[in-house]
Amino acid sequence: MITFDKVSRRYGDRVAVDHVELEVPDGEICVLLGESGSGKSTLLRMVNRLVEPSSGLVLVQGQDARSVHPQQLRLKIGYVIQSVGLFPHWRVEDNVATVPRLLKWPPRKISERTDALLDLVGLPPKLFRTRFPHELSGGQAQRVGLARALAADPPLLLMDEPFSALDPATRRGLQTSLRQIHQETGKTILFVTHDVEEAIVLADKLAVLDDGKLVAQGRSRDLLRPDAPYPVRQLFGQEAIAFHRLATIPAQMLAEPGDYGMAPVLEPNASLKQALMMMLAQGAPAVKVAETASTPGGTVQWSSLLERL
Ligand SMILES: Nc1ncnc2c1ncn2[C@@H]1O[C@H](COP(=O)(O)OP(=O)(O)OP(=O)(O)O)[C@@H](O)[C@H]1O
């Protein structure tokens, strides 16, 4: 758990972070969302003491961050940034092993851990272990950055716009991978983005910053309402807020028993936004949600979807 207790950061007259009170619960992905300059990175960097608060407290797993030496603190906290920051003359395996080596793990344990992590982030070790960073695509490099951050199994991960420099398809792939990795590892993740769709896809908890102030926090589906605070409506777009809300609701929730013949079929974990997009793309009044061993599937109709908007 990370707790921000009335945390502020001032630079001269400028208030970058203004009395923020926020908890990042254990095992959740908390997304800090806000326009450029709203204070997201400043707040995130206070967790690993790259920035110190001007006032207030940052508690990392119940402990005042200031009471722990920054180097000790950073060993417990994985950090992933947009520019990745891999060491260019080190092979992938050496980059991933950075922190375990600092911790003087035995070589065999480091080697096994490197293989396991490369598998986890979707880079087969046989193909990627010995490559250099310049032999990787941007998405692959970011996957190595994620493996490196996870190497010593830290309970917390800080991710500062990690996918912002990637093309949309690669970015979606990494978002899906991150959710899967999160499910498998149960890490507590604080993730910064200014991309509203990325925030909705990833957030268990969404925290919206505006001009250094925390203006809303909660589950996306609870925040995305017509009566949301003005900065939230402005960020998501007044007209688009209902559309974004559909992305937070599983299509499965509106699926009714019955088969409407030739209706197109959605994946079992698709959202209502995907259902709507498929209806629009195919001119279909209904879509089927595929069944799984644990969910019955069924049909979502245009009329019931409109009622949810
Ligand atoms: N070292 C610094 N010195 C002076 N002002 C700073 C410093 N770091 C940040 N700021 C200011 O604090 C405010 C918040 O910056 P911050 O980088 O946290 O915003 P952000 O929401 O992460 O923006 P972006 O999405 O563009 O990275 C900005 O007005 C910025 O100019």
Side-chain angles (χ1 to χ4, degrees), residues 191-237:
F191 188 105
V192 161
T193 185
H194 57 252
D195 181 297
V196 295
E197 304 215 355
E198 182 163 85
I200 292 171
V201 168
L202 292 177
D204 295 311
K205 180 173 187 173
L206 191 59
V208 180
L209 283 172
D210 180 49
D211 200 16
K213 294 188 177 63
L214 184 66
V215 289
Q217 58 171 305
R219 290 191 312 170
S220 316
R221 89 167 66 155
D222 298 329
L223 294 190
L224 294 174
R225 300 187 162 279
D227 58 354
Y230 174 72
V232 177
R233 284 181 281 137
Q234 195 191 29
L235 202 57
F236 284 90

Side-chain angles (χ1 to χ4, degrees), residues 244-278:
H244 286 304
R245 186 170 148 74
L246 289 180
T248 69
I249 305 170
Q252 187 71 47
M253 265 177 66
L254 287 193
E256 293 163 9
D259 189 342
Y260 287 70
M262 299 298 285
V265 181
L266 277 175
E267 285 179 20
N269 59 358
S271 68
L272 283 180
K273 180 175 150 187
Q274 286 166 297
L276 175 63
M277 295 201 315
M278 191 175 262

Side-chain angles (χ1 to χ4, degrees), residues 9-12 14-17 33-45 51 82 160-161 192-194 209 211-212:
R9 171 70 204 201
R10 286 177 288 279
Y11 293 103
R14 187 193 304 272
V15 183
V17 170
L33 177 68
E35 288 179 1
S36 183
S38 58
K40 307 178 297 291
S41 297
T42 304
L43 191 63
L44 174 127
R45 287 177 188 174
V51 171
Q82 184 182 331
D160 194 350
E161 306 245 15
V192 161
T193 185
H194 57 252
L209 283 172
D211 200 16

Side-chain angles (χ1 to χ4, degrees), residues 291-304:
E291 67 175 64
T292 67
S294 55
T295 53
T299 305
V300 178
Q301 295 195 61
W302 176 255
S303 53
S304 50

Side-chain angles (χ1 to χ4, degrees), residues 42-215:
T42 304
L43 191 63
L44 174 127
R45 287 177 188 174
M46 288 195 231
V47 179
N48 61 1
R49 296 192 60 190
L50 288 172
V51 171
E52 299 289 357
S54 308
S55 60
L57 274 184
V58 180
L59 302 175
V60 177
Q61 298 183 301
Q63 197 172 20
D64 182 350
R66 284 176 314 186
S67 69
V68 188
H69 190 281
Q71 264 173 345
Q72 285 304 114
L73 189 69
R74 287 170 204 159
L75 289 175
K76 287 196 307 187
I77 303 174
Y79 187 40
V80 187
I81 53 174
Q82 184 182 331
S83 58
V84 193
L86 297 179
F87 298 112
H89 305 300
W90 288 10
R91 295 181 189 277
V92 164
E93 58 189 358
D94 299 318
N95 270 287
V96 173
T98 309
V99 178
R101 282 193 186 138
L102 280 174
L103 294 172
K104 301 200 184 325
W105 286 16
R108 193 190 166 121
K109 185 176 167 192
I110 294 178
S111 179
E112 285 169 2
R113 179 77 180 149
T114 302
D115 279 349
L117 282 164
L118 289 176
D119 273 330
L120 183 72
V121 299
L123 299 175
K126 273 198 182 126
L127 294 179
F128 288 94
R129 248 192 106 116
T130 56
R131 286 201 199 177
F132 285 100
H134 72 266
E135 296 171 317
L136 302 171
S137 70
Q140 289 163 350
Q142 197 51 276
R143 286 175 189 273
V144 175
L146 184 55
R148 183 178 57 177
L150 289 166
D153 205 17
L156 308 175
L157 268 189
L158 304 178
M159 305 185 75
D160 194 350
E161 306 245 15
F163 308 147
S164 297
L166 305 173
D167 65 82
T170 305
R171 190 168 181 156
R172 277 195 295 279
L174 272 149
Q175 290 163 357
T176 306
S177 296
L178 181 64
R179 279 239 63 115
Q180 282 165 355
I181 290 167
H182 176 249
Q183 258 176 6
E184 283 176 38
T185 62
K187 300 290 175 202
T188 306
I189 301 177
L190 186 58
F191 188 105
V192 161
T193 185
H194 57 252
D195 181 297
V196 295
E197 304 215 355
E198 182 163 85
I200 292 171
V201 168
L202 292 177
D204 295 311
K205 180 173 187 173
L206 191 59
V208 180
L209 283 172
D210 180 49
D211 200 16
K213 294 188 177 63
L214 184 66
V215 289

